[in-house]
Every structure is written in C-alpha cells, then in structure tokens.
C-alpha cells in the first residue's frame, strides 16, 4: 500500500500516544515510522489500549536509530516543533511528506531539527507551551490531507 503521508515519531516516550497515532494512521491510511530507542517496550499494555484493534491495521516501520530512518526517507521531512519557524496554516503540504514529531519529554535534538526540510508550529495562546503529540499529529494530518485532497473515500 502506498501512503500519501507518513508520521515519524522520534524516540517516543509515552506508549499511549504512540498507540493513538497508530490508530490515527490506520484510520487515515498514514504510515507510521518509529525511530528508536523508545521509552517503553513495544508490547506495552498502554500502547495496545490506546491503539485498540486498529493498531494491527497500521503500516509500521521500526528504525533502530535516526540514521537508519534518515537513510530511507524519500519525501520531505516536516517537523512539528514548538521552535518551528512556519505556522501550520502557512505550510504547503505535498504528497510524500513525512510528519515528524519529537519525544514528548524533549522534542528532537539540534541535528534532527536542522535536517528537517520544513519546521512548523501550531500557534497557541500566550503562556501555553505545547499540545499533546497525538493531538498535534492529528491537526497536522488533517491540514495536510485537506491540502493534498488525500482524505479516504467515504464508505456507507
């Protein structure tokens, strides 16, 4: 199956968020790349609970580290970051984009930030630091799918 978009999760910390993103990917036909090490075992119960039975339908690729992931990327890397330089509503998404999200506790290191082709932010009201990573993934996916006309065909 060819995906129009992919999520990439850099060294995720929270199993429940990964499960939620696996479910999101399965429901919207967005592949998921997991860049290790992760802060939990892939068999973690909270991952399964959040992903429910949908996670089994997700297209998942696991990478032993950043270098292994970066070596196989074919599309643009669009990094969602509180330090992103472009607002989400000003980014032009393309088919093949990889929506990269950092670890919940620490984001991404400078070398990963520097490697991104686009760095975007989701504007928040003053005094708020960040959104949950799964919420940010859903918001970026919705905008990207809207722009590339990539929403799944409705079923009755």
């Amino acid at each position: 199956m060819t995906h129009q978009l992919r999520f990439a999760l850099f060294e995720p910390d929270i199993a429940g968020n990964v499960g939620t993103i696996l479910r999101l990917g399965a429901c919207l036909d967005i592949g998921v790349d997991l860049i290790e090490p992760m802060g939990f075992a892939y068999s973690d119960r909270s991952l399964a609970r959040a992903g429910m039975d949908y996670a089994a339908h997700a297209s998942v690729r696991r990478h032993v580290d950043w270098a292994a992931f970066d070596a196989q990327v074919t599309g643009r890397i669009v990094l969602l970051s509180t330090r992103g330089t472009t607002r989400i509503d000003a980014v032009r998404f393309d088919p093949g984009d990889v929506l990269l999200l950092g670890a919940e506790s620490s984001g991404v290191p400078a070398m990963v930030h520097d490697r991104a082709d686009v760095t975007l932010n989701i504007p928040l009201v003053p005094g708020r630091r960040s959104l949950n990573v799964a919420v940010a993934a859903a918001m970026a996916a919705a905008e990207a799918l809207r722009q590339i006309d990539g929403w799944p065909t409705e079923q009755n």
Side-chain angles (χ1 to χ4, degrees):
M1 180 178 299
T2 302
H3 305 282
Q4 294 182 57
L5 299 170
R6 293 194 70 81
F7 291 122
L9 308 180
F10 180 84
E11 299 182 4
D13 297 318
I14 301 174
N17 285 338
V18 174
T20 299
I21 292 169
L22 291 178
R23 182 176 182 176
L24 181 64
C27 289
L28 297 179
D29 191 28
I30 298 173
V32 180
D33 291 282
L34 300 175
I35 304 163
E36 299 182 9
M38 295 187 287
F40 56 89
Y42 192 67
S43 60
D44 190 287
R45 286 179 48 187
S46 56
L47 182 140
R49 184 172 46 251
M52 299 178 61
D53 57 335
Y54 295 94
H57 299 287
S59 173
V60 179
R61 295 181 197 155
R62 291 174 65 185
H63 308 275
V64 296
D65 58 20
W66 171 256
F69 165 76
D70 193 30
Q72 60 80 50
V73 170
T74 57
R76 292 186 318 167
I77 294 178
V78 178
L79 173 63
L80 283 73
S81 172
T82 58
R83 297 182 298 141
T85 56
T86 306
R87 288 172 49 115
I88 190 172
D89 54 348
V91 170
R92 181 75 209 142
F93 290 94
D94 295 321
D97 281 350
V98 177
L99 307 177
L100 176 62
L101 299 115
E104 294 86 349
S105 64
S106 58
V108 298
M111 65 154 191
V112 172
H113 202 279
D114 294 344
R115 164 59 180 90
D117 298 293
V118 177
T119 59
L120 70 82
N121 69 70
I122 298 171
L124 304 176
V125 299
R128 305 307 189 275
R129 288 188 318 269
S130 65
L131 295 169
N132 173 283
V133 69
V135 170
M139 291 176 70
E143 179 62 13
L145 290 170
R146 182 190 69 78
Q147 287 187 22
I148 67 172
D149 194 23
W151 285 98
T153 304
E154 290 185 39
Q155 298 173 342
N156 294 326

